[in-house]
Amino acid sequence: MAVAKSSPASSSGEYAKRYPFGLRLSGGQVSGTSSRKGDAGAVKWWGWGLESKTYRLDDKPQFWPFLLKTLKLAQLNECPRVTLEDVELPPPRLDGRTLARLERVIGSADVSTTKHDRLTHSLGRSYVDLLTLRRGIIRNPPDAVVYPRNEKEVARLLSFARASRISVVPFAGGSSVVGGVDPVRQRGFKGAISVDLRKMNRVLEVDVISLTASVEAGISGPDLEDELSKIGFTLGHFPQSFQFSVLGGWIATRSAGQVSTKYGKIEDMVESLTMVSPSGKLDTKSVPASASGPQLKQLLIGSEGTLGVLTKAKMRIRHLPEVRRYEGLMFKSFRDGINAIRETMQSGLIPAMMRLSDPDETAVSLMLSSQGATTKLGLWMLERLGYVPSQECVMILGVEGDHTTLKAERQVAVRACKRNGAFAIGKGVGETWLNERFELPYLRDVLLDHCILVDTLETATTWDKLEALHGAIKKSIEEAIAGMGVTGLAFAHVSHAYWDGASIYYTLVAPQVKGREAQQWLRIKKAATDCIMRNGGTLSHHHGIGKDHAPWIKQELGENGLALLKAMKKQLDPEGIMNPGKLLGSP
Amino acid sequence: MAVAKSSPASSSGEYAKRYPFGLRLSGGQVSGTSSRKGDAGAVKWWGWGLESKTYRLDDKPQFWPFLLKTLKLAQLNECPRVTLEDVELPPPRLDGRTLARLERVIGSADVSTTKHDRLTHSLGRSYVDLLTLRRGIIRNPPDAVVYPRNEKEVARLLSFARASRISVVPFAGGSSVVGGVDPVRQRGFKGAISVDLRKMNRVLEVDVISLTASVEAGISGPDLEDELSKIGFTLGHFPQSFQFSVLGGWIATRSAGQVSTKYGKIEDMVESLTMVSPSGKLDTKSVPASASGPQLKQLLIGSEGTLGVLTKAKMRIRHLPEVRRYEGLMFKSFRDGINAIRETMQSGLIPAMMRLSDPDETAVSLMLSSQGATTKLGLWMLERLGYVPSQECVMILGVEGDHTTLKAERQVAVRACKRNGAFAIGKGVGETWLNERFELPYLRDVLLDHCILVDTLETATTWDKLEALHGAIKKSIEEAIAGMGVTGLAFAHVSHAYWDGASIYYTLVAPQVKGREAQQWLRIKKAATDCIMRNGGTLSHHHGIGKDHAPWIKQELGENGLALLKAMKKQLDPEGIMNPGKLLGSP
């Protein structure tokens, strides 16, 4: 890429001077799958992230004692996992002739039926998925995994699948936590193939005037950011799964990133997209806004592979921020913190992030902090100032951008926080959060090693309902846990904020109920989701629907809304081959 | 309304203190249809706005000479219109029995077959509509006009219409300029009724915490703003038709307002909505964001009455701005002005408005200015500074909000303008624009009185294509005009700006070609629209599709996109009774 080496410009003004009006930079091809962080071998088949990595607890001596006490456990137990050799997969259901035909469709090098490939495309990364993988009992692996290289191959694959009655599961990063990628068995189908998009991972074009990048759907978070940052840009989308998730998956599930409060959810970043459906290709128009009828783009975004395969998108990109400042603030109560976020959002000047932990999450964060002595001193000081440990809530406030913007945005946010009784606890907390923000998912594997259930769930609602919803969810989860005779903890943070409301993100931990692990999870999930639906929350703010939330989709969209969605599916996927069992539930 | 008299609060912080967390204010019923600016009698049946009002030209002595010279006309001609008495409508096609049944469905007081009501629901306010009205030859009036009072009545009406094979045209303000409200005759239908929503015009609830207002779809712009401003709020949506257009119409057509650059288009303001379709009611969930599959809300927004009747919406509202500043800037070229807008938008700090006229519109604006002497002096000065009259472009920059926000937003915008060679020409220009911003549509009637064609059209595209598209449209319009032997002028402004592009709004004037007025218009329309489609513009940015743009909808959405839209229509409106002939073209 010719301009890849040019130094990042700090404002669009400079860019406009450097490049004549209307100039386009062609994108360079990224360096193949070797840069893909999800490469076979490097990534755990049984857990989160890289084989070589685990969550460090040796420098957090308070964590285990705190957890044992909270969960009323006398000791830590051990729940080992099976080895790869012990995993048994059912044999492929597709016969040799069908596989041979499949190989003729996209080339034998891009079709795999190996144990490793089938296994790693069997499940996502939800708690139940991890439970299943650790036991090595895989019921529904795909019969084959295919790696198309372009839209034409995707179209040929879908024609083949239609004709052969094979269901198709689009697979991006595979980090779904709601059962979005497993090939659910569906009556009437001969088998299922996973369509892994990792070979469609190029940045096709960067328009430095309109600030958009045309990108293939299979590019991973780090690869995309690497490519963009070389020429001074960023997409600005950093979900917790960032290192292992993929553009197409973000769009298919309406993903949110850690700084989506400022930059928008993924659906706000998509200028246009291309989907190959069984009925043909759809290209939405690349314009900033339109009144040409209903916005079809917003139908394809969030369709979770049930309507077709997202193949590419034109994404709105940003200049890399000139400056970035993340800092901590402590509030006397959750309500004070919520009010500070709301007042900031409704001012119209939006910071990158206002992440407010509830009292329990604040306590857990302290236990996961490696700054023992400093923290203790700070807490002692705060207590003297009237901040009650069981009620206080920590917020990470992040601002980024150019100097003018940052200053204005920070000023409004800090004022709102101070008006609501916040005490500034400094940049250290913010920087620690920044450094460790992709680490927490690794902790799940450690907890599972010790027979501890750990799951997350999220929702969003309007400001007027937020505090009540927060309390109700906590209660519903902890009661559901107690209903099976163990003690658990649910804690949360306000994760993304909007003009009219915010999302709230729960983590829950409990000792596993031996022999009934899946039932235990289901009971909690049902209680929490029913509670969300009763209290005006949305079924999901950014995890998506998948298989796990599908039982509630009718309640979420209403009978006529669901019927409308099914009519769209019928139009684009008449035989129902696309990702059956997801989003819409059973056909 | 208990709090209607409370003084507007200046920041959400103050509101939060005044009202306890989660409090809701019930909305008061607005004072009936008497406050509706579109009241029968007060409004022209043959033109724009109030009977009592016309566009003042006596203080703009330069205008007529300029126009005659530009259009190469020796003199002004006169084209009188018919009187109301001369207008003849075909008799209602619905027989007495059917009308009697209709009256049983919603009550005889809310069914009208008077000449006045049928006439005023026959057409919108496009140039061709005005031509037709002034001649008094109305081919397709509705057979009856009904005024439902609530959702249940709407649902009963649709059931009746389905059963009776009568088509239904939802009617909000009737200010469509793309043929959105006329009851196109469709084979197989016994007749057509207009469903006028003016009796569903209440503010149902204002949530001062989440900053939303639940409002019935038939409320007019002024009524809504009156109700909200009493308690310190605004919707912030001010299309040029504001005084005569209606919430439901804005949503049905994806309307944009004069300050949509800051506050968003109407689709950005809708938190949730309710539509009554022939297949049943759809309620989208009131949450700030969601990942529960495709966003159905974005299907219903922009559906132009073809899927059902929008009955209410929960709208995001704003505090009334503390301060407002509108000012003028002069650029040496259109390109400089475009660059200033782009750089501002891409900074992330967004002003209320950056309205940039091209050189021809700048010249016309000067001719419509009543500040003769001051303007001349200013222009003389600018010329000395190197601003060439035939190239210079005026921009109105508007900022509004609280003091902190305004200061930051103005600073970024003014810096970008100065960087691109702008000369500040003061607040006078901005204030004049603010005062006269709803007046220009009245000028159309004056021009038609003098046999002058006047029309507007708009599109949007990405920044990289904007300047080329602007030039191409001008050329296509002026050539189409010349193709019929007369001389016309097309001038434009950049009206709304986004991160990745902007909309551009054209006005065109030409002497009417006597006896071929409709063909003349169609030739220009076709040339301009073909040009927009060829050059990467969207078919419409905020006027909508209606009947006039429907021939291009397949090209805009693609064959599979249009098929998807039709599948949705089939689901919600199986018999095709809803607003036939619009948006999707012929079924």
Side-chain angles (χ1 to χ4, degrees):
Chain A
M1 190 186 287
V3 296
K5 264 74 194 166
S6 70
S7 63
S10 57
S11 83
S12 50
E14 289 178 29
Y15 260 91
K17 275 168 216 153
R18 184 126 30 103
Y19 303 114
F21 194 89
L23 175 74
R24 276 228 162 68
L25 305 176
S26 315
Q29 184 151 2
V30 295
S31 49
T33 50
S34 71
S35 73
R36 177 73 172 265
K37 304 306 179 289
D39 253 17
V43 162
K44 291 176 194 154
W45 62 266
W46 53 272
W48 185 257
L50 300 177
E51 279 281 6
S52 56
K53 233 177 118 94
T54 186
Y55 190 84
R56 257 188 89 182
L57 281 168
D58 56 329
D59 58 349
K60 291 139 191 162
Q62 304 179 83
F63 178 72
W64 285 123
F66 166 82
L67 195 69
L68 288 173
K69 195 177 153 207
T70 303
L71 304 186
K72 296 195 178 153
L73 285 172
Q75 60 174 59
L76 274 182
N77 298 311
E78 304 289 328
C79 282
R81 57 183 168 81
V82 301
T83 62
L84 183 55
E85 291 66 42
D86 292 332
V87 175
E88 278 194 24
L89 300 186
R93 291 170 291 169
L94 301 180
D95 56 29
R97 231 182 65 208
T98 309
L99 282 172
R101 270 166 43 219
L102 177 57
E103 287 180 357
R104 280 200 298 277
V105 169
I106 70 157
S108 59
D110 296 326
V111 177
S112 169
T113 53
T114 67
K115 180 179 182 180
H116 184 274
D117 281 356
R118 291 178 66 217
L119 172 61
T120 53
H121 291 80
S122 295
L123 292 164
R125 285 297 175 270
S126 73
Y127 169 68
V128 176
D129 293 338
L130 298 184
L131 269 186
T132 308
L133 288 167
R134 294 169 68 95
R135 282 183 192 157
I137 303 162
I138 312 296
R139 291 219 172 79
N140 295 316
D143 299 293
V145 181
V146 296
Y147 301 89
R149 292 169 186 269
N150 54 54
E151 269 167 23
K152 281 189 185 152
E153 288 192 352
V154 173
R156 284 210 302 270
L157 270 172
L158 297 191
S159 298
F160 166 78
R162 276 183 88 163
S164 312
R165 297 204 64 73
I166 293 170
S167 66
V168 171
V169 181
F171 191 98
S175 61
S176 171
V177 291
V178 293
V181 295
D182 37 332
V184 177
R185 277 184 191 237
Q186 207 77 18
R187 253 194 328 177
F189 288 104
K190 275 205 256 174
I193 53 176
S194 269
V195 177
D196 187 315
L197 297 173
R198 74 179 59 198
K199 290 184 182 173
M200 292 171 67
N201 65 349
R202 292 172 304 160
V203 175
L204 300 170
E205 191 176 65
V206 175
D207 173 351
V208 298
I209 298 299
S210 310
L211 292 192
T212 55
S214 189
V215 189
E216 288 185 316
I219 198 167
S220 75
D223 283 353
L224 175 57
E225 285 296 328
D226 282 356
E227 283 301 302
L228 292 177
S229 67
K230 279 181 198 163
I231 50 171
F233 297 105
T234 176
L235 179 63
H237 190 73
F238 302 101
Q240 201 173 41
S241 62
F242 171 74
Q243 295 163 309
F244 305 97
S245 56
V246 165
L247 180 67
W250 299 340
I251 298 173
T253 60
R254 295 188 169 263
S255 163
Q258 286 157 340
V259 290
S260 291
T261 293
K262 182 180 177 77
Y263 297 133
K265 284 182 76 193
I266 200 76
E267 56 262 42
D268 306 310
M269 298 178 175
V270 177
E271 188 192 74
S272 64
L273 54 79
T274 301
M275 177 183 276
V276 176
S277 83
S279 293
K281 194 163 105 169
L282 293 111
D283 274 306
T284 71
K285 202 158 187 171
S286 283
V287 289
S290 175
S292 298
Q295 202 179 47
L296 297 182
K297 174 174 80 175
Q298 290 295 342
L299 282 189
L300 308 181
I301 299 175
S303 58
E304 300 192 1
T306 63
L307 302 179
V309 181
L310 283 164
T311 52
K312 64 171 184 278
K314 192 169 268 193
M315 306 300 296
R316 296 174 177 126
I317 59 172
R318 315 259 163 177
H319 290 283
L320 282 170
E322 274 173 31
V323 269
R324 186 148 86 161
R325 187 185 163 118
Y326 282 70
E327 61 200 295
L329 294 138
M330 193 68 92
F331 289 85
K332 283 183 180 162
S333 73
F334 199 45
R335 179 179 297 185
D336 287 346
I338 290 175
N339 281 337
I341 302 176
R342 181 173 56 78
E343 291 170 23
T344 304
M345 295 306 295
Q346 293 175 349
S347 79
L349 285 181
I350 311 301
M353 190 178 87
M354 292 180 95
R355 187 185 192 278
L356 175 73
S357 295
D358 69 5
D360 285 307
E361 187 171 286
T362 302
V364 173
S365 301
L366 289 170
M367 297 304 145
L368 284 174
S369 159
S370 44
Q371 316 291 318
T374 332
T375 309
K376 266 189 189 155
L377 180 64
L379 290 174
W380 176 84
M381 264 182 55
L382 280 169
E383 213 166 330
R384 311 285 302 185
L385 290 167
Y387 292 70
V388 182
S390 64
Q391 289 166 26
E392 67 193 8
C393 294
V394 69
M395 175 193 284
I396 315 284
L397 166 65
V399 283
E400 45 183 75
D402 61 40
H403 287 276
T404 312
T405 312
L406 180 133
K407 199 179 142 198
E409 288 170 357
R410 181 169 179 269
Q411 186 184 340
V412 166
V414 169
R415 268 193 207 153
C417 290
K418 298 243 158 126
R419 201 159 55 228
N420 286 285
F423 189 90
I425 56 174
K427 290 204 280 184
V429 182
E431 277 154 19
T432 304
W433 179 84
L434 264 182
N435 291 334
E436 297 178 3
R437 62 192 173 141
F438 301 126
E439 301 301 303
L440 266 180
Y442 285 98
L443 179 54
R444 293 197 301 165
D445 291 328
V446 181
L447 293 173
L448 265 76
D449 284 341
H450 295 293
C451 321
I452 291 167
L453 177 158
V454 52
D455 196 14
T456 63
L457 52 89
E458 42 72 46
T459 183
T461 194
T462 46
W463 291 115
D464 60 316
K465 300 193 187 91
L466 192 67
E467 201 186 0
L469 177 62
H470 168 261
I473 296 174
K474 180 178 173 66
K475 193 162 169 273
S476 75
I477 294 174
E478 292 180 355
E479 281 179 3
I481 293 171
M484 289 182 76
V486 290
T487 301
L489 179 69
F491 50 88
H493 60 266
V494 175
S495 58
H496 305 88
Y498 301 87
W499 182 265
D500 47 343
S503 66
I504 190 154
Y505 187 96
Y506 259 99
T507 304
L508 51 119
V509 286
Q512 287 181 344
V513 176
K514 195 126 189 134
R516 296 168 66 199
E517 291 85 354
Q519 296 95 305
Q520 181 190 19
W521 173 83
L522 195 61
R523 183 166 177 163
I524 299 167
K525 185 74 186 172
K526 187 168 178 339
T529 310
D530 285 342
C531 172
I532 287 169
M533 300 304 281
R534 262 196 318 274
N535 289 280
T538 184
L539 183 47
S540 171
H541 169 264
H542 62 272
H543 283 167
I545 303 302
K547 204 176 58 180
D548 295 354
H549 290 141
W552 287 270
I553 193 69
K554 189 169 171 180
Q555 198 178 338
E556 175 82 354
L557 303 180
E559 193 171 337
N560 292 317
L562 183 58
L564 185 56
L565 210 53
K566 286 185 173 173
M568 283 164 38
K569 167 135 178 119
K570 184 137 190 142
Q571 171 63 29
L572 295 181
D573 178 23
E575 289 90 1
I577 62 170
M578 296 307 304
N579 211 6
K582 316 298 163 51
L583 181 54
L584 304 156
S586 304
Chain B
M1 191 186 286
V3 295
K5 266 73 195 166
S6 70
S7 64
S10 58
S11 84
S12 51
E14 289 180 37
Y15 260 91
K17 275 167 216 154
R18 185 127 29 103
Y19 303 114
F21 193 88
L23 175 75
R24 275 228 163 68
L25 305 176
S26 313
Q29 184 151 2
V30 295
S31 48
T33 50
S34 71
S35 72
R36 177 72 172 266
K37 305 304 179 293
D39 252 18
V43 162
K44 289 175 195 153
W45 62 266
W46 54 271
W48 185 256
L50 300 176
E51 279 283 7
S52 56
K53 234 178 117 93
T54 186
Y55 190 84
R56 259 188 88 181
L57 282 167
D58 56 329
D59 60 348
K60 290 139 190 160
Q62 303 179 83
F63 179 71
W64 285 123
F66 168 81
L67 196 68
L68 289 174
K69 193 177 153 207
T70 304
L71 302 187
K72 298 192 177 153
L73 284 173
Q75 59 173 63
L76 275 183
N77 298 311
E78 305 288 327
C79 283
R81 57 182 167 83
V82 302
T83 63
L84 183 56
E85 290 68 41
D86 293 332
V87 175
E88 276 193 28
L89 300 187
R93 291 170 292 170
L94 300 181
D95 57 30
R97 233 182 65 207
T98 308
L99 283 172
R101 271 167 43 219
L102 177 57
E103 287 181 356
R104 281 201 297 279
V105 168
I106 72 156
S108 59
D110 296 328
V111 177
S112 169
T113 53
T114 67
K115 180 180 183 180
H116 183 274
D117 281 357
R118 291 178 66 218
L119 172 60
T120 54
H121 291 79
S122 295
L123 293 163
R125 286 297 175 269
S126 73
Y127 169 69
V128 176
D129 293 337
L130 297 184
L131 269 186
T132 308
L133 287 167
R134 294 170 67 96
R135 282 182 191 160
I137 303 162
I138 313 296
R139 292 221 171 77
N140 295 316
D143 299 293
V145 181
V146 295
Y147 301 89
R149 292 169 186 271
N150 53 55
E151 268 165 23
K152 279 188 186 152
E153 288 192 351
V154 173
R156 284 211 301 270
L157 271 171
L158 297 191
S159 296
F160 166 79
R162 275 182 88 164
S164 312
R165 296 204 65 73
I166 293 170
S167 66
V168 171
V169 182
F171 192 98
S175 61
S176 172
V177 291
V178 293
V181 296
D182 38 331
V184 177
R185 279 184 189 238
Q186 205 78 17
R187 253 195 327 178
F189 287 103
K190 274 204 256 173
I193 53 176
S194 268
V195 177
D196 187 315
L197 296 173
R198 74 178 60 197
K199 290 184 180 171
M200 293 173 65
N201 65 349
R202 293 172 304 161
V203 175
L204 300 169
E205 192 177 64
V206 175
D207 174 350
V208 298
I209 298 301
S210 310
L211 293 193
T212 54
S214 189
V215 188
E216 288 185 316
I219 198 166
S220 76
D223 283 354
L224 176 56
E225 286 296 328
D226 282 356
E227 283 300 301
L228 292 178
S229 66
K230 280 182 198 162
I231 50 171
F233 297 106
T234 176
L235 178 64
H237 190 73
F238 302 101
Q240 202 174 39
S241 63
F242 171 74
Q243 295 163 310
F244 304 98
S245 57
V246 165
L247 179 67
W250 299 340
I251 299 174
T253 60
R254 296 187 169 261
S255 163
Q258 286 157 340
V259 289
S260 290
T261 293
K262 182 181 178 73
Y263 296 134
K265 283 182 77 193
I266 200 76
E267 57 261 41
D268 306 312
M269 298 178 174
V270 178
E271 188 191 75
S272 64
L273 55 78
T274 301
M275 177 182 276
V276 176
S277 83
S279 292
K281 194 162 106 168
L282 292 111
D283 274 306
T284 70
K285 203 159 188 171
S286 283
V287 290
S290 175
S292 298
Q295 201 179 48
L296 297 183
K297 174 173 82 175
Q298 291 294 343
L299 272 193
L300 308 181
I301 300 175
S303 58
E304 300 192 0
T306 63
L307 302 179
V309 180
L310 283 164
T311 51
K312 65 172 184 278
K314 192 170 267 193
M315 306 300 296
R316 296 174 177 125
I317 58 173
R318 314 262 164 177
H319 291 282
L320 283 170
E322 274 174 32
V323 271
R324 186 148 85 162
R325 187 185 164 118
Y326 282 71
E327 62 200 295
L329 294 139
M330 194 67 93
F331 288 86
K332 284 185 181 159
S333 74
F334 198 46
R335 179 180 297 187
D336 287 347
I338 290 174
N339 281 338
I341 303 177
R342 180 174 56 79
E343 290 171 22
T344 304
M345 295 306 296
Q346 293 176 349
S347 79
L349 285 182
I350 311 300
M353 191 177 86
M354 292 180 95
R355 188 186 192 278
L356 175 73
S357 295
D358 68 5
D360 286 306
E361 186 170 286
T362 301
V364 173
S365 302
L366 289 171
M367 297 305 146
L368 285 173
S369 160
S370 44
Q371 317 290 318
T374 332
T375 309
K376 268 190 189 155
L377 180 65
L379 289 174
W380 177 83
M381 263 183 55
L382 280 170
E383 213 167 330
R384 311 285 303 185
L385 291 167
Y387 291 70
V388 181
S390 64
Q391 290 166 27
E392 66 194 5
C393 294
V394 68
M395 176 193 284
I396 314 285
L397 166 65
V399 284
E400 45 183 73
D402 60 41
H403 287 277
T404 312
T405 311
L406 180 133
K407 199 180 141 195
E409 287 170 358
R410 180 168 181 272
Q411 187 184 339
V412 167
V414 169
R415 266 192 208 153
C417 289
K418 299 242 158 128
R419 201 161 53 228
N420 286 285
F423 188 89
I425 55 174
K427 289 206 279 185
V429 182
E431 277 152 22
T432 303
W433 180 84
L434 264 181
N435 291 333
E436 298 177 3
R437 60 191 173 142
F438 301 127
E439 300 302 303
L440 266 181
Y442 284 97
L443 180 54
R444 292 198 302 165
D445 292 327
V446 181
L447 294 173
L448 264 77
D449 284 342
H450 294 293
C451 320
I452 292 165
L453 178 158
V454 52
D455 197 13
T456 63
L457 53 87
E458 41 73 47
T459 182
T461 194
T462 44
W463 292 116
D464 60 315
K465 300 192 187 90
L466 192 67
E467 201 186 1
L469 177 62
H470 167 261
I473 296 174
K474 181 179 172 67
K475 191 160 171 273
S476 75
I477 294 174
E478 292 180 353
E479 282 179 2
I481 293 171
M484 289 181 76
V486 290
T487 302
L489 177 70
F491 51 88
H493 60 266
V494 175
S495 58
H496 304 88
Y498 301 88
W499 182 266
D500 46 343
S503 66
I504 190 153
Y505 187 96
Y506 259 99
T507 303
L508 51 120
V509 285
Q512 287 181 345
V513 176
K514 196 125 188 132
R516 295 168 69 199
E517 292 85 353
Q519 296 95 304
Q520 182 189 18
W521 172 83
L522 194 61
R523 182 167 176 161
I524 300 168
K525 185 74 186 170
K526 187 167 177 340
T529 311
D530 284 342
C531 172
I532 287 169
M533 301 303 281
R534 261 197 318 275
N535 288 280
T538 183
L539 184 47
S540 171
H541 169 264
H542 62 272
H543 284 167
I545 303 304
K547 205 176 55 181
D548 294 353
H549 291 140
W552 287 270
I553 192 69
K554 188 168 170 180
Q555 198 177 339
E556 174 82 355
L557 302 180
E559 191 172 342
N560 292 316
L562 182 58
L564 183 56
L565 209 53
K566 287 186 173 174
M568 285 163 32
K569 168 139 176 114
K570 184 137 192 146
Q571 171 64 28
L572 294 182
D573 176 24
E575 289 89 2
I577 61 170
M578 297 307 305
N579 211 8
K582 317 298 163 50
L583 180 56
L584 304 157
S586 305

